[in-house]
Amino acid sequence: MTTRERHAKMMLDALAKRGISATPHGLDLVETTTLHLDVETASGPESVRVEVTRWPAGENPETYLGAEQWTIDLHDENDELLDRMHNPADSFDDAVSNLDWDRIRARLT
């Protein structure tokens, strides 16, 4: 039983104890870290929000054969998307490399 299956069972058991019957139709175990930054630009500091998401290995066998996957999303101070990964990467370093850094720099000037 994977961690997400165990968590789903725990939640279903907790609901059943309270007289609530439920059928799961999806559960993802992910780790998301949100980092808030002040980035120095030519016109002064600009707030940037970075979301790093990691899917642990073995937790999503129906997609990407259960391999660990990473995505990174960057948003400006108006919550507009600076760049986002279109497909998850196999490592954090690959995720960083897959971002369009020229586009990000251009949007932050």
Side-chain angles (χ1 to χ4, degrees):
M1 180 179 289
T2 66
T3 300
R4 76 177 167 162
E5 290 167 337
R6 190 172 60 253
H7 289 173
K9 182 178 179 341
M10 290 167 53
M11 190 66 228
L12 290 172
D13 291 348
L15 291 171
K17 285 181 184 177
R18 288 154 180 85
I20 300 170
S21 176
T23 303
H25 57 82
L27 173 67
D28 293 321
L29 176 67
V30 298
E31 300 166 356
T32 300
T33 302
T34 303
L35 181 63
H36 300 274
L37 306 171
D38 286 330
V39 176
E40 292 299 323
T41 68
S43 58
E46 182 169 341
S47 295
V48 173
R49 179 172 47 91
V50 181
E51 291 180 359
V52 178
T53 303
R54 175 184 166 264
W55 286 266
E59 289 301 327
N60 200 7
E62 61 276 2
T63 309
Y64 301 108
L65 302 174
E68 177 179 82
Q69 297 291 298
W70 294 80
T71 62
I72 300 174
D73 295 353
L74 287 90
H75 299 264
D76 69 11
E77 59 193 0
N78 298 316
D79 205 34
E80 291 185 31
L81 189 64
L82 294 171
D83 200 17
R84 154 182 282 148
M85 308 237 352
H86 297 287
N87 293 306
D90 293 333
S91 70
F92 175 79
D93 290 338
D94 287 347
V96 171
S97 295
N98 289 337
L99 293 170
D100 185 343
W101 290 102
D102 291 334
R103 176 182 170 186
I104 293 167
R105 279 189 208 88
R107 302 264 317 266
L108 288 174
T109 56

